[in-house]
Amino acid sequence: MRRKIYQKLLDWKRDRKGDVALLIEGARRIGKSYIVEEFARQEYDSYLLIDFSKVNPQVFTFFDLYLDDLDTLFMSLEVYFKHKLTPRSQPNEEAKSLIIFDEVQFCPRARSAIKHLVADHRFDYIETGSLISIKKNVKNIMIPSEEHTIKMHPMDFEEFLWAMEDNTLMPFIRYQFEKRAPMGLLHRKAMDYLRQYLIVGGMPQAVSTYIDTRDFARVDEIKRDILDLYRNDIKKYAEGQEMKVSAIFDEIPGQLQKHEKKFRLSALQGQARMRDYADAFFWLSDASIINCCYNATEPSVGLRLNEERTTLKCYLGDTGLLISLAFDERGIVNEDLYKKLMFGKLEVNEGMLTENLVAQMLRTSGHHLYFYSNSSRTSNEDRMEIDFLIAKGRTTSRHNISPIEVKSGKNYTLTSLRKCIAKYGNQLSTPYVLHDKDLREEEDILYLPLYMTPLL
């Protein structure tokens, strides 16, 4: 499947010419290994793929024994994998061969060796992995500074359209967004695609199954397999945090269906405090299973400076997975529920799915997630809840932050957004409402169809 990260791999190969290794982080089953091996096949004369999740333990010892003798290290790898590599002939030329450290978190010694391998400069190196930053995977090693990290996400909406063999709709959506013009007759088509994307999600295996079968039940089976994989990873790798991580993971749908979607630790344990669960949230975030959205104490430039980490909203990294996690009464989501979702007839819980989808699309577009909440008991004008805050790409002296309200129903009010505009107008860029209707501008608010979220 066509993925946008491929262009980033090309840019790295052309621009860096082996002076750094590339580390691709992301959740399990999002296609890291597939896209890297496809890149190796297309862009190099030869390559070695070392999958540390299943390789013979003998390969691990190569990195313990031969780091001071790289000739022997490379010879040992070539013999073991029965594949010949071609070194660079000139220092500044593009490499002819690539070595891939797949699931590198299982061999921290290989990751720490990157410093010496890059300095040797014979080959290019790409690492892939998840849970890269947890203590177990960085204990007793020096993190190499010769790494350039790229975060990989599930397939975004445009990649989903490419998989559906529609290469023209997103450029038109982008063109209309830039003109601030409505989609007109194509709005319904774009919303139909978006609903399919919401249901199927962006996990490549789920998307591939949907393309082949158009069977939501088959897709649901794939998504449940992935959820089971995540649960098994929690049991296996969340050392000392298994119960807390599992509790947060299973509680996400229940928290998101509430009117105020801030994560209430009291649902897990009566007297729970964030300091007791911080490591568990970090584990899920590092595994890219969740997207954390933190409260900003003020909607002003430098959202990270105003970040209040004890108050957060917790979204699942893929909305398709959220559906299979949320509607789990009989072990599989039935066709009737999927049909209601497809045609916008599911009244209960649709708001949480829409907001999770917006969080997913904003995160995939490169935004860190923030919201604004003020529960003042003394001033009605100060009391407000803004779903998301995003910063402009270029910081100016004022008007830098855009507040975003997400609406899933036909009838809604914008009380909090109007309060925010009235109080913080000098600090705000364009306010947005994301809804299922077409684009329009009204009273300095830009109303956008949900499928334009990736363009913000």
Side-chain angles (χ1 to χ4, degrees), residues 157-427:
F157 181 52
E158 186 170 16
E159 290 170 332
F160 179 78
L161 291 176
W162 291 342
M164 298 286 285
E165 298 186 350
D166 190 323
N167 298 313
T168 59
L169 182 58
M170 198 64 195
F172 182 73
I173 291 172
R174 190 174 288 109
Y175 180 71
Q176 295 303 98
F177 172 80
E178 291 170 354
K179 291 199 309 176
R180 293 196 174 188
M183 290 283 290
L185 294 175
L186 288 175
H187 170 68
R188 177 63 182 271
K189 179 180 181 180
M191 282 303 302
D192 286 346
Y193 271 130
L194 188 75
R195 286 197 169 275
Q196 293 174 72
Y197 176 60
L198 179 145
I199 294 169
V200 175
M203 307 306 280
Q205 190 179 1
V207 175
S208 178
T209 300
Y210 179 66
I211 290 169
D212 291 341
T213 67
R214 292 299 198 273
D215 185 337
F216 286 132
R218 289 280 300 280
V219 172
D220 192 67
E221 291 175 2
I222 297 297
K223 292 188 292 177
R224 288 185 187 283
D225 288 345
I226 296 172
L227 290 171
D228 287 342
L229 175 69
Y230 289 172
R231 288 190 177 97
N232 289 332
D233 281 350
I234 291 169
K235 293 174 185 176
K236 189 173 182 179
Y237 302 118
E239 296 179 341
Q241 297 287 328
E242 300 94 332
M243 297 294 291
K244 291 178 180 178
V245 173
S246 295
I248 293 170
F249 180 71
D250 288 328
E251 183 61 24
I252 290 171
Q255 297 282 336
L256 289 179
Q257 71 176 348
K258 297 176 182 177
H259 176 68
E260 284 194 1
K261 296 176 174 60
K262 288 178 285 189
F263 201 100
R264 303 291 183 186
L265 290 174
S266 57
L268 306 178
Q269 187 180 349
Q271 301 299 317
R273 296 289 182 268
M274 180 54 72
R275 64 175 176 268
D276 301 320
Y277 281 83
D279 286 346
F281 279 107
F282 174 79
W283 193 96
L284 284 165
S285 179
D286 189 54
S288 299
I289 293 173
I290 64 170
N291 290 319
C292 289
C293 181
Y294 293 102
N295 185 33
T297 56
E298 186 178 347
S300 60
V301 64
L303 290 172
R304 181 166 288 181
L305 300 176
N306 299 319
E307 182 181 288
E308 198 248 305
R309 295 186 72 89
T310 60
T311 307
L312 78 163
K313 295 190 286 187
C314 189
Y315 300 101
L316 211 61
D318 180 76
T319 308
L321 293 181
L322 176 63
I323 291 174
S324 295
L325 181 64
F327 303 102
D328 195 23
E329 290 81 4
R330 299 175 63 184
I332 194 165
V333 177
N334 62 52
E335 285 290 326
D336 288 340
L337 185 140
Y338 274 134
K339 288 176 182 176
K340 288 181 179 179
L341 279 173
M342 188 65 214
F343 296 108
K345 302 298 184 182
L346 186 71
E347 296 297 333
V348 180
N349 291 309
E350 191 162 344
M352 79 167 184
L353 300 177
T354 303
E355 190 167 321
N356 197 95
L357 182 65
V358 169
Q360 178 182 343
M361 292 194 289
L362 288 175
R363 190 70 191 94
T364 303
S365 299
H367 292 286
H368 293 283
L369 299 182
Y370 295 96
F371 69 101
Y372 178 67
S373 178
N374 188 328
S375 54
S376 174
R377 298 180 180 179
T378 58
S379 171
N380 183 56
E381 288 74 20
D382 290 341
R383 194 180 308 125
M384 66 186 84
E385 183 92 16
I386 303 298
D387 293 329
F388 297 101
L389 300 173
I390 59 172
K392 289 194 308 187
R394 185 172 62 88
T395 302
T396 57
S397 58
R398 55 194 300 199
H399 305 303
N400 289 290
I401 304 299
S402 286
I404 298 174
E405 284 280 80
V406 181
K407 301 299 180 183
S408 59
K410 295 181 180 179
N411 301 311
Y412 52 80
T413 60
L414 299 174
T415 305
S416 286
L417 184 61
R418 297 192 191 283
K419 286 181 183 179
C420 186
I421 295 169
K423 183 170 183 179
Y424 297 107
N426 287 337
Q427 298 168 210

